[in-house]
Amino acid sequence: MAKLMVLTLLGLVMTHFKDYQSSYQKRLTAFREVEPVDLPNCNLVKGIETGSEDLEILPNGLALISSGLKYPGIKSFDPDKPGKILLMDLNEEDPEVLELRISGSKFNMSSFNPHGISTFTDEDNTVYLLVVNHPDAKTTVELFKFQKEEKSLLHLKTIRHELLASLNDIVAVGPEHFYATNDHYFVDPYLKSWEVYLGLSWSYVVYYSPNEVKVVADGFDFANGINISPDGKYVYISELLAHKIHVYEKHANWTLTSLKSLAFNTLVDNISVDPVTGDLWIGCHPNGMRIFFYDPEHIPGSEVIQIQNILTEEPKVTVVYAENGTVLQGSTVASVYKGKLLIGTVFHKALCCKL
């Protein structure tokens, strides 16, 4: 009788394991192969070899790029070097990048590990850069002032809070005010891995200001990218492992109300918003298994989608670029400026294309 009970329990465990394994593979689109979509005029960006995970293009065509991310479970081609913020001028015919010098007596450059970034331009045209940072496997938000003429960043402040525990991306709505995604509920690496494997959908979005910090949306299966509409009325959130883009209405008290969701067959990462048209440009992972379990024999591909008229009943979704990784591995972000498309990656290179 005891042996029968043991066998029964073992059978139940194995059945549930198979169910979770199947769900996990589906959420990672583990068996998807890339259907190529080419752009004819593309060049790799000189000077980017270890990632361009997120980027922001200012109205004058200057692009700020986070590079060198070290993220648990994700490949890094230079794990011993600190991360950096790069500057690129998209007005140039063949733009290159340079590393922005960072000043500030209280900032520790040796542990700089930049992830999502966002800019805010004040009424006096001061440009603030907010950076999600993971120093020593922790999470902070670093506030910088961008100094264009000096080609540098002045560190102003480090922001910490218990609700900013596992940040991925950020969108600034003031110099010290922002929405941010927590891609996990747990902080412990072991619990994080089980959270993802079991598909618990416990990650969430936070609003932060110096006077108020609160959860404004939750129930996500790996909340990832976040951005805001040009008129400031809507917030867009990508749910990586559910393959969805969510649209929220933003209220005067900074709370959010869910309006709609769009589903895709790819893992949606960072969101950029065209300030002129309002179109969404999203860097995607066609096969998440190849991102989270890197194998040089089966490298991760890249994919970029454009969403037009997202607030209407019939948004138009276009796959603008897709390839199997021979050119670009692990696309995370895409943004446009005057007919140019800049595509960044989590740990690889960056690509600039003419549309």
Side-chain angles (χ1 to χ4, degrees), residues 18 28 60 88 99-100 124 137 148 156 174 191 228 233 253 271 274 278 306 318-319 332 344 350:
K18 288 180 180 179
L28 288 176
N60 59 7
M88 176 179 177
E99 181 179 350
L100 290 175
D124 62 359
K148 177 184 173 184
L156 302 176
L191 295 177
I228 196 165
K233 295 180 178 180
N253 63 356
I271 304 168
D274 187 325
Q306 176 191 15
T318 305
V319 178
T332 52

Side-chain angles (χ1 to χ4, degrees), residues 7 14 30 34 63 71 82 103 139 172 191 197 211 225 237 240 246 296 308 320-321 332 346 352:
L7 287 174
M14 291 304 295
V34 178
Y71 187 91
S103 61
T139 296
L191 295 177
Y197 181 75
N211 300 318
I237 301 167
L240 185 80
H246 300 277
Q308 298 169 284
V320 177
Y321 177 82
T332 52
V346 62
C352 190

Side-chain angles (χ1 to χ4, degrees), residues 243-272:
H243 320 148
K244 291 180 179 179
I245 297 292
H246 300 277
V247 181
Y248 285 80
E249 183 178 3
K250 180 174 72 68
H251 302 291
N253 63 356
W254 305 104
T255 59
L256 302 177
T257 300
S258 177
L259 293 182
K260 65 189 297 186
S261 300
L262 279 68
F264 305 89
N265 68 338
T266 188
L267 279 68
V268 284
D269 203 311
N270 290 328
I271 304 168
S272 297

Side-chain angles (χ1 to χ4, degrees), residues 84-330:
K84 51 194 173 185
I85 302 296
L86 305 174
L87 180 67
M88 176 179 177
D89 189 350
L90 287 168
N91 296 294
E92 297 176 357
E93 183 63 28
D94 188 19
E96 299 184 20
V97 298
L98 62 86
E99 181 179 350
L100 290 175
R101 181 177 57 85
I102 296 178
S103 61
S105 59
K106 295 184 180 180
F107 184 70
N108 185 357
M109 190 64 207
S110 65
S111 63
F112 190 36
N113 188 12
H115 200 165
I117 65 174
S118 183
T119 58
F120 181 82
T121 303
D122 219 337
E123 293 178 354
D124 62 359
N125 290 321
T126 299
V127 177
Y128 297 94
L129 176 68
L130 286 79
V131 180
V132 173
N133 185 24
H134 302 295
D136 304 316
K138 297 180 176 63
T139 296
T140 62
V141 173
E142 308 297 342
L143 175 63
F144 299 96
K145 178 183 176 182
F146 173 52
Q147 300 174 308
K148 177 184 173 184
E149 300 304 322
E150 295 87 348
K151 294 182 173 56
S152 67
L153 295 171
L154 173 63
H155 183 252
L156 302 176
K157 187 176 184 179
T158 295
I159 298 171
R160 298 179 178 88
H161 193 276
E162 61 183 8
L163 288 179
L164 309 178
S166 182
L167 295 190
N168 187 299
D169 198 15
I170 187 170
V171 59
V173 291
E176 296 184 48
H177 304 68
F178 55 84
Y179 292 99
T181 57
N182 279 291
D183 54 25
H184 292 78
Y185 174 83
F186 293 110
V187 176
D188 179 82
Y190 180 75
L191 295 177
K192 277 186 173 184
S193 63
W194 277 107
E195 178 184 344
V196 171
Y197 181 75
L198 297 175
L200 296 181
S201 298
W202 288 355
S203 70
Y204 55 98
V205 175
V206 170
Y207 168 73
Y208 177 92
S209 75
N211 300 318
E212 181 183 27
V213 187
K214 58 187 178 184
V215 176
V216 291
D218 56 14
F220 297 103
D221 189 2
F222 204 112
N224 198 308
I226 189 167
N227 217 316
I228 196 165
S229 61
D231 60 11
K233 295 180 178 180
Y234 304 96
V235 171
Y236 307 120
I237 301 167
S238 66
E239 188 176 7
L240 185 80
L241 297 180
H243 320 148
K244 291 180 179 179
I245 297 292
H246 300 277
V247 181
Y248 285 80
E249 183 178 3
K250 180 174 72 68
H251 302 291
N253 63 356
W254 305 104
T255 59
L256 302 177
T257 300
S258 177
L259 293 182
K260 65 189 297 186
S261 300
L262 279 68
F264 305 89
N265 68 338
T266 188
L267 279 68
V268 284
D269 203 311
N270 290 328
I271 304 168
S272 297
V273 179
D274 187 325
V276 178
T277 65
D279 294 351
L280 275 63
W281 291 81
I282 304 161
C284 305
H285 306 289
N287 187 319
M289 187 69 77
R290 296 184 179 183
I291 279 288
F292 287 102
F293 302 92
Y294 187 82
D295 178 355
E297 299 299 319
H298 300 90
I299 54 178
S302 292
E303 188 170 32
V304 173
I305 59 176
Q306 176 191 15
I307 307 175
Q308 298 169 284
N309 305 316
I310 191 169
L311 298 173
T312 67
E313 293 184 2
E314 296 185 4
K316 181 182 178 183
V317 178
T318 305
V319 178
V320 177
Y321 177 82
E323 69 97 29
N324 63 8
T326 55
V327 175
L328 202 66
Q329 300 181 31

